[in-house]
Amino acid sequence: MTGLALAPVLTVAPNGAWAEGEGASPVHVSATLTPSLSHAARSGGRYYGAAARADHLRQDKALRAAILRDCEVLTPEIHLKWNSLEWRKGQFHFTPVDDLLAFADENGLRVRGHTLLWDQSTPDWAKHEMLDRRDWRLMSEHFSRVLGRYASRIDEWDVINEPIDTVSGAHALRRNTFFRAFGPTYIERAMEEARTHAPHAHLVINDYGFEYGNPVDKARRQAFVALARRLRAARVPLDGVGVQAHLDLSKGPIDRVGLQEMTKALIDLGLDITVTELDVKETEASASTPARDQKVADETRRYLDVMLAFPEVRGVVTWGLTDKFSWLTEQVDARVRADRGVNRGLPYDDAYSPKPMYWALEDTLRASA
Ligand code: G3I
């Protein structure tokens, strides 16, 4: 039994609510939901999933119920990152990942591996060592340790997260620690390294900032395609790309044509695409709740209408499932939070009622079948 061991079976109580296990009190998710987001996605040959944390799963029964209801895939929100696994050199913290995997196994969920290399989640000791010694063995050992332990269980990996920077990068690549230590070809080397330790996995590069009509997003779309083109031409093992899709109501409107062109160009390179971190950042917290929720839903629909027109978009993952646990709420300081409350940019509100965003997801996933 793990810390997350759960009654794996969800049953519908006579009142229509979802109850967990035998004799458990009903978990309020919703009595009125038609088949779930995964059901809708599957009807279109796709998957739906959400990011989650083991500690949240452990403490929140309603979160577990919502995930079991709606998700086919889980992404560990933080536990697979290098600074979660090994914040002190040589001291490893696998338990949260193992717990999350046990929960997934018990309930037949698949897991996305997020992420092997991200500058922001690389521990300081590793950054210093990389820059001091420029010795690739540090990377090999990290990949070998993580993939050696998890590649038999997790078959899709964000090998590199957020390599693009068109504002202060070099040739549009972010001058991150890996770039500074190993040069721009760290990307090729990392993909090859991943393939060595995970011969059958679906290997992905994941990035953000592709949705809007501003010059930065436009340049980022071009840079992402150019990177993918270079890697494919060099026969680097890259199977797909992840587009994070952190939508932002202050940046609208979505550039439909730009998004379509980028997606088509990536598909023409033989890549498939996963929407890996969908959520919506709000702007006007002073508006009424229904008005806010409608805006979030409309933005979700506008985005997915474009993306789900492509059959090569294999899945949609939201960056969380409920506003109760969202980085968009967590990142604001206490003063702003008191003023603004939670960001309402995920399918369920913080009391696990489905919002218009839920129905926009359900409808677009199903309609694209
Ligand atoms: O666990 C420590 C805790 O011990 C400590 O007291 C606290 C003090 O700040 O920090 C806690 O760690 C935080 C962790 O979340 C758990 O809450 C980190 O500071 C915080 O940086 C971390 O944030 C995560 C962030 O990635 C960095 O890993 C967010 O939850 C997570 O949503 C976010 O996810 C990223 C994707 O991986 C990549 N794309 C962007 C996305 C949003 O930033």
Side-chain angles (χ1 to χ4, degrees):
M1 278 303 236
T2 70
L4 283 181
L6 306 166
V9 182
L10 283 179
T11 52
V12 186
N15 64 0
W18 285 82
E20 185 188 337
E22 235 180 303
S25 59
V27 175
H28 171 71
V29 174
S30 173
T32 54
L33 297 181
T34 53
S36 71
L37 296 180
S38 273
H39 188 273
R42 237 178 277 141
S43 71
R46 299 190 165 93
Y47 67 76
Y48 171 76
R53 289 171 38 168
D55 48 334
H56 294 161
L57 285 170
R58 190 179 302 113
Q59 74 197 215
D60 193 328
K61 188 173 174 179
L63 175 65
R64 301 196 298 269
I67 282 177
L68 294 187
R69 176 188 167 80
D70 282 303
C71 296
E72 185 177 344
V73 166
L74 277 186
T75 303
E77 188 174 349
I78 52 176
H79 313 302
L80 269 172
K81 292 169 183 170
W82 197 344
N83 64 348
S84 295
L85 291 169
E86 192 185 6
W87 65 80
R88 285 219 186 96
K89 185 175 168 64
Q91 292 182 15
F92 302 103
H93 303 274
F94 294 120
T95 308
V97 185
D98 293 347
D99 283 355
L100 192 133
L101 278 171
F103 172 70
D105 281 341
E106 284 158 17
N107 294 290
L109 306 175
R110 288 189 295 115
V111 172
R112 291 196 80 249
H114 176 80
T115 169
L116 285 158
L117 283 190
W118 184 25
D119 201 43
Q120 280 187 46
S121 65
T122 304
D124 286 344
W125 67 263
K127 288 185 178 177
H128 291 139
E129 201 171 305
M130 244 177 260
L131 293 172
D132 289 350
R133 299 195 201 152
R134 296 168 194 262
D135 185 342
W136 186 261
R137 276 177 298 181
L138 178 63
M139 310 286 264
S140 313
E141 281 162 18
H142 172 58
F143 277 53
S144 159
R145 187 166 294 112
V146 178
L147 294 173
R149 188 177 174 97
Y150 294 117
S152 62
R153 173 64 184 81
I154 301 177
D155 62 4
E156 179 173 344
W157 288 87
D158 292 337
V159 179
I160 301 173
N161 192 50
E162 304 182 7
I164 300 291
D165 180 355
T166 56
V167 175
S168 39
H171 303 293
L173 292 184
R174 189 174 299 280
R175 294 175 205 264
N176 57 24
T177 313
F178 324 116
F179 181 98
R180 286 187 286 137
F182 304 111
T185 57
Y186 85 88
I187 294 182
E188 286 87 329
R189 295 177 78 181
M191 300 308 294
E192 298 284 359
E193 189 73 53
R195 177 57 79 226
T196 303
H197 302 288
H200 308 297
H202 193 79
L203 302 181
V204 170
I205 294 181
N206 190 46
D207 216 321
Y208 70 95
F210 305 130
E211 295 81 23
Y212 294 100
N214 63 66
V216 174
D217 277 26
K218 187 174 178 191
R220 291 182 62 81
R221 289 193 287 272
Q222 288 169 354
F224 200 44
V225 172
L227 172 62
R229 185 169 291 130
R230 177 162 68 76
L231 297 177
R232 293 293 283 182
R235 298 186 178 281
V236 171
L238 173 70
D239 302 306
V241 293
V243 291
Q244 294 185 4
H246 291 294
L247 306 181
D248 184 336
L249 295 179
S250 73
K251 292 188 182 167
I254 282 171
D255 183 346
R256 292 178 64 96
V257 173
L259 200 50
Q260 274 162 348
E261 285 173 356
M262 177 187 77
T263 307
K264 181 159 187 329
L266 292 167
I267 291 166
D268 287 347
L269 291 170
L271 297 165
D272 60 38
I273 298 175
T274 307
V275 177
T276 51
E277 304 185 19
L278 177 64
D279 57 13
V280 184
K281 186 172 177 185
E282 292 187 276
T283 43
E284 293 170 47
S286 55
S288 69
T289 299
R292 288 170 63 185
D293 288 352
Q294 195 55 50
K295 277 194 174 177
V296 166
D298 290 347
E299 190 76 345
T300 303
R301 185 182 290 276
R302 265 193 296 269
Y303 179 75
L304 290 179
D305 274 347
V306 175
M307 297 305 288
L308 298 183
F310 295 96
E312 293 83 357
V313 175
R314 63 207 300 259
V316 175
V317 177
T318 49
W319 207 238
L321 195 55
T322 156
D323 298 332
K324 184 174 178 184
F325 300 119
S326 166
W327 74 290
L328 291 169
T329 296
E330 282 156 15
Q331 69 169 1
V332 300
D333 66 38
R335 191 176 47 80
V336 178
R337 199 178 314 167
D339 182 41
R340 239 179 34 186
V342 296
N343 188 82
R344 298 178 64 85
L346 286 168
Y348 287 95
D349 73 8
D350 59 358
Y352 292 95
S353 287
K355 297 181 302 175
M357 181 183 180
Y358 182 101
W359 303 113
L361 270 158
E362 205 263 346
D363 193 39
T364 46
L365 284 165
R366 194 165 30 76
S368 68

